[in-house]
Amino acid sequence: MGLLIQRGEDWASRVDLFAVAGLYVATDHRYMILSEDQIEEDVVMYVGMDSMGLVYTAPQYPVNRVLDLCCGSGIQSLVASRYTKEAIGVDINPRAIRFARFNAQLNGISNTHFSVGNLYETTSGYFDTILANPPFVPSPSQECRFRDGGITGEEILAQIITESTKHLAPNGRVFIVSDLVNIQQYESKLEQWWQGGAAYKLVLSTADRNDILFSVPHCHTAFNQTWQQYNIELDQWLQNFNTTGLRTVNFGYILICQVDSIRTRSYYSRTIHNPNQPIYQYVQEYFQQRQLLEEQQISDCFLVMSPDLRFRLEISPTTGEREIELFSPNNPYFTTYQISEQMYRMLQDINHSQPKWQAYATAINQDWLYELIYKGILYLTLEAPAVNRNRRLKSPPPTEGLKIEELETKTTPTCISSYLR
Ligand SMILES: C[S@@+](CC[C@H](N)C(=O)[O-])C[C@H]1O[C@@H](n2cnc3c(N)ncnc32)[C@H](O)[C@@H]1O
C-alpha cells in the first residue's frame, strides 16, 4: 500500500498514526518536509487538541444518525460510531475522505460513510447530532484549507450553524469546536446565526488572546524560516486582526440543543480548562439540569454540591483576611472561582444539609442557585443523597454579599507550531 517506505537501511512511515479513545487514526504527517512527503493534494489534518477537545466535549447520546462536517481523518465519526446507528462524514478534500474510509476499515467499523462534499450540499435526510471541527482560524491567508476560516474565522462556522436547522431531526443537537472571536458578542451572534426554534445554547471558553498572543504562534513555521519571512508573516496576521475588528480570540466550544417550543430558550457561557479527558458527561448534565429546572418535579429534587470541587482558603497571619477559591484538581470542566465569604458559607450550608429545592429556594436566592447550577457547582437530583449527613436545615442564609468570579484558564493556541515538542 506504500504506507511503509524504505529510506536507506531504515523503514519509514508515510502516515502518522494516533491512538484516540481506543481507536487508531491514520492521517498525513504534521510536517510534510521530506521529498517523499510531497503531494499534489491538500494535506489531511493531524489529530490536534481541537480534534481531541471535540471528542472529549461533545455529549455521546445514543442516536440514529450523526453528521460529521469537515470530517478530515474521520476521527469524530469513528468515535461517534459507538453511540449512533450511522455516522456520515463529509469533507471537501478527497484525500481526507480516502483517509477516513481507510481509518474505518483499520478499526473494523462498518456504520460510518464518508463522501466528498461542501458542508451540507451532498447530505440527505435528518440528523440527531451534527458535529463539526471546521476551519475556524481568523486568518489573512487561504493557504491552509483545514485551518483558515476567512478573515474573521467565522465564514464556515456561521454557515454550519445557520443551515443546521434544515438538517436536524426534532430535538437535534449541534456540537462545534472553534476559535470564538469577540466572545462577548456571542449571544447575539448565535441569535443571528441560529435559525431554529427554542434551544439551549452553551458556549465553553478558555481564555482571551489579544492580537500578539494570537498572531505570534501562527507565524512561526516549524523549519527553515528566516527572521525576514517571520516578520512579513507577523505583519499580515496583526494587520488582519486589527483591521477586521477582532478584539479577542478565545478557543472553545459551541453546543446547541434544540428543545420543544414550550421550553424557554437560553444562552449561557462559562469557562473550562481545555479538556485532556472526557467532560461530555458534565456537558450533558448541564442540558439535563436546564430541562429539570423547567419542570414541576424540581420541588422534590435535592440540591447537592459537585463532589469534584474543593475549597482553598488563604488566611493572612497579620490581618486575618481570608481569600477563598473553589476549584477542581482533576476535572477540567471547572475553572477556578474566587468566592466571597458569604458564598462559601452558603455552599457549605447546602453541602451539609443537601436540602430539597422547595425547602431552600426562595424568591431572593433562586437566581444565585440557578447560576451555581449552570456552572455545575450545584446540581439537582431526585435521588435522596446516599449519605444523609447532619440534616439540620436552617433557613437559607441571606444573599447579601454573595459573589463568585470565574477565572480564565490557560490560553489555548490552535496554531501548527503549538504542536511542536
Ligand atoms: C480543522 S479540520 C478538522 C478535521 C477533523 N474533523 C478533526 O476533528 O481533526 C477541518 C476540515 O474541514 C475541511 N473543509 C474545509 N472547508 C470545507 C467545506 N466547505 N466543506 C467540507 N469540508 C471542509 C478541511 O478539508 C479539513 O479536513
Side-chain angles (χ1 to χ4, degrees):
M1 295 170 78
L3 282 174
L4 293 178
I5 52 170
Q6 200 152 16
R7 197 184 290 142
E9 295 202 342
D10 299 327
W11 287 90
S13 170
R14 299 288 313 272
V15 299
D16 281 355
L17 194 62
F18 292 83
V20 175
L23 300 167
Y24 287 118
V25 178
T27 183
D28 276 323
H29 292 313
R30 203 174 277 178
Y31 304 107
M32 306 285 272
I33 48 174
L34 301 175
S35 55
E36 72 244 22
D37 297 333
Q38 299 317 308
I39 52 169
E40 303 274 286
E41 302 165 284
D42 285 334
V43 294
V44 181
M45 198 180 97
Y46 50 85
V47 171
M49 61 166 76
D50 47 349
S51 323
M52 288 311 297
L54 188 60
V55 166
Y56 290 143
T57 304
Q60 306 195 346
Y61 302 90
V63 288
N64 287 321
R65 289 187 92 211
V66 168
L67 175 62
D68 170 18
L69 290 174
C70 305
C71 67
S73 59
I75 170 173
Q76 310 299 337
S77 300
L78 299 173
V79 172
S81 72
R82 292 168 167 169
Y83 61 86
T84 182
K85 290 194 182 135
E86 184 187 31
I88 310 286
V90 176
D91 201 286
I92 206 156
N93 180 359
R95 184 174 173 84
I97 295 306
R98 297 202 303 277
F99 261 113
R101 288 180 182 151
F102 173 80
N103 285 326
Q105 289 211 8
L106 183 64
N107 291 284
I109 292 171
S110 56
N111 61 341
T112 52
H113 305 280
F114 297 99
S115 60
V116 178
N118 180 4
L119 299 184
Y120 300 99
E121 256 172 39
T122 52
T123 65
S124 59
Y126 296 98
F127 298 91
D128 305 287
T129 300
I130 296 175
L131 300 170
N133 178 2
F136 53 69
V137 174
S139 163
S141 150
Q142 304 273 332
E143 255 168 57
C144 184
R145 228 162 174 191
F146 64 70
R147 177 195 65 182
D148 301 328
I151 54 174
T152 63
E154 291 168 344
E155 221 164 71
I156 294 178
L157 171 69
Q159 209 182 330
I160 289 176
I161 299 176
T162 303
E163 290 177 27
S164 64
T165 46
K166 289 190 236 151
H167 304 271
L168 278 178
N171 293 337
R173 308 164 184 113
V174 184
F175 303 135
I176 304 173
V177 56
S178 184
D179 270 346
L180 308 164
V181 169
N182 301 347
I183 193 167
Q184 292 74 11
Q185 298 165 1
Y186 246 76
E187 184 167 7
S188 59
K189 284 188 194 188
L190 288 182
E191 191 67 39
Q192 192 191 330
W193 294 338
W194 175 253
Q195 305 290 313
Y200 299 151
K201 299 173 194 143
L202 175 65
V203 169
L204 304 177
S205 61
T206 51
D208 280 347
R209 281 166 286 161
N210 63 13
D211 53 354
I212 295 286
L213 275 176
F214 169 76
S215 301
V216 166
H218 280 296
C219 300
H220 284 140
T221 47
F223 304 98
N224 297 332
Q225 190 183 32
T226 66
W227 271 108
Q228 288 82 352
Q229 288 164 336
Y230 169 75
N231 283 339
I232 292 170
E233 187 88 355
L234 184 59
D235 279 347
Q236 288 167 355
W237 281 76
L238 287 175
Q239 198 190 350
N240 183 62
F241 194 103
N242 292 312
T243 55
T244 315
L246 276 60
R247 284 194 295 282
T248 59
V249 179
N250 199 310
F251 174 78
Y253 302 85
I254 302 164
L255 307 134
I256 304 175
C257 282
Q258 234 177 4
V259 288
D260 296 335
S261 55
I262 49 155
R263 299 201 174 267
T264 320
R265 59 187 61 211
S266 65
Y267 170 85
Y268 196 70
S269 170
R270 48 163 291 160
T271 309
I272 56 164
H273 289 276
N274 191 42
N276 54 3
Q277 65 189 59
I279 58 166
Y280 51 77
Q281 303 93 323
Y282 300 91
V283 177
Q284 187 161 335
E285 182 74 24
Y286 167 83
F287 290 115
Q288 285 164 350
Q289 292 280 306
R290 270 276 176 195
Q291 205 145 341
L292 194 55
L293 284 170
E294 293 197 57
E295 280 163 18
Q296 286 287 319
Q297 64 197 133
I298 181 182
S299 324
D300 294 324
C301 289
F302 296 91
L303 201 49
V304 177
M305 190 172 153
S306 167
D308 291 347
L309 287 162
R310 302 280 175 275
F311 292 114
R312 186 190 283 132
L313 260 83
E314 278 183 18
I315 305 172
S316 159
T318 41
T319 62
E321 202 182 312
R322 286 153 56 107
E323 281 191 8
I324 311 169
E325 281 183 350
L326 188 63
F327 72 104
S328 176
N330 306 315
N331 186 343
Y333 187 62
F334 296 102
T335 179
T336 300
Y337 305 91
Q338 282 181 339
I339 59 172
S340 61
E341 191 77 43
Q342 288 82 346
M343 179 61 82
Y344 173 55
R345 271 193 240 124
M346 183 168 102
L347 288 172
Q348 280 202 316
D349 189 44
I350 292 171
N351 195 35
H352 287 147
S353 56
Q354 302 189 328
K356 275 201 172 174
W357 176 265
Q358 62 185 7
Y360 202 83
T362 65
I364 298 166
N365 69 10
Q366 176 168 293
D367 284 348
W368 278 109
L369 298 178
Y370 285 150
E371 189 62 23
L372 294 166
I373 290 170
Y374 300 153
K375 289 192 185 334
I377 294 168
L378 296 180
Y379 64 93
L380 289 163
T381 172
L382 274 166
E383 280 169 42
V387 191
N388 200 342
R389 282 170 287 167
N390 195 10
R391 186 163 265 291
R392 45 162 182 89
L393 184 61
K394 297 174 277 174
S395 49
T399 52
E400 220 169 278
L402 286 181
K403 237 176 97 192
I404 179 161
E405 192 191 339
E406 204 173 41
L407 300 185
E408 286 194 328
T409 54
K410 267 205 306 220
T411 57
T412 310
T414 49
C415 52
I416 296 181
S417 59
S418 68
Y419 300 97
L420 263 183
R421 301 231 161 162

